[in-house]
């Protein structure tokens, strides 16, 4: 009985130790851009964050994307520019940046996506 209880307690405790990625709601700037000149619904990247990590889920290869993290005054505190492969792309933030993060902007092609976290 003790072994069963210990096993169940260990499983519950270990499941609580894993961090969960939190999604960031992204909006398009300007709003008129969505649907304008496109024949179908645009597939846009998704963004999640977890502690010091930003995860960009790109639906297709993006040649060059700039990621800007801003604080509550609107000052840019982190900039990252790179190609994004289709799928999950990880961006590691320094400890000082992750303490002050407030908004994130994804800039690629003619798209400008903004989210808050």
């Amino acid at each position: 009985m003790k072994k069963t209880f210990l096993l169940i307690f260990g499983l519950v405790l270990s499941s609580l130790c894993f961090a969960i990625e939190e999604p960031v709601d992204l909006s398009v700037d300007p709003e008129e851009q969505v649907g304008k000149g496109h024949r179908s619904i645009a597939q846009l990247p998704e963004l999640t964050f977890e502690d010091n990590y930003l995860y960009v889920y790109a639906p297709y290869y993006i040649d060059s994307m700039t990621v800007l993290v801003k604080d509550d005054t609107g000052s840019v505190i982190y900039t990252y520019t790179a190609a994004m492969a289709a799928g999950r792309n990880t961006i590691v933030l320094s400890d000082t940046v992750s303490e002050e993060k407030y908004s994130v902007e994804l800039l690629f092609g003619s798209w400008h996506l903004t989210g808050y976290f």
Side-chain angles (χ1 to χ4, degrees):
M1 183 67 176
K2 286 183 181 179
K3 290 181 182 180
T4 306
F5 177 73
L6 186 59
L7 177 66
I8 293 172
F9 180 73
L11 290 173
V12 170
L13 184 62
S14 66
S15 67
L16 295 175
C17 294
F18 292 105
I20 298 173
E21 291 179 36
E22 296 182 34
V24 176
D25 292 327
L26 296 172
S27 60
V28 179
D29 296 329
E31 288 294 331
E32 303 87 44
Q33 185 174 5
V34 176
K36 185 175 184 179
H38 300 285
R39 292 180 179 236
S40 64
I41 298 173
Q43 294 181 345
L44 298 175
E46 295 178 8
L47 182 71
T48 61
F49 74 95
E50 175 188 334
D51 298 329
N52 294 354
Y53 301 96
L54 287 175
Y55 300 105
V56 178
Y57 293 90
Y60 48 84
Y61 177 79
I62 298 173
D63 210 16
S64 178
M65 177 185 285
T66 301
V67 178
L68 302 174
V69 178
K70 296 182 178 182
D71 62 8
D72 58 350
T73 63
S75 301
V76 176
I77 57 175
Y78 185 79
T79 303
Y80 179 81
T81 302
M84 296 290 166
R88 180 176 170 176
N89 298 277
T90 304
I91 300 170
V92 180
L93 303 174
S94 68
D95 290 336
T96 56
V97 171
S98 65
E99 292 172 1
E100 301 176 10
K101 61 189 177 223
Y102 179 71
S103 70
V104 63
E105 295 181 15
L106 302 180
L107 308 166
F108 62 99
S110 63
W111 293 95
H112 181 191
L113 306 174
T114 305
Y116 299 92
F117 60 107

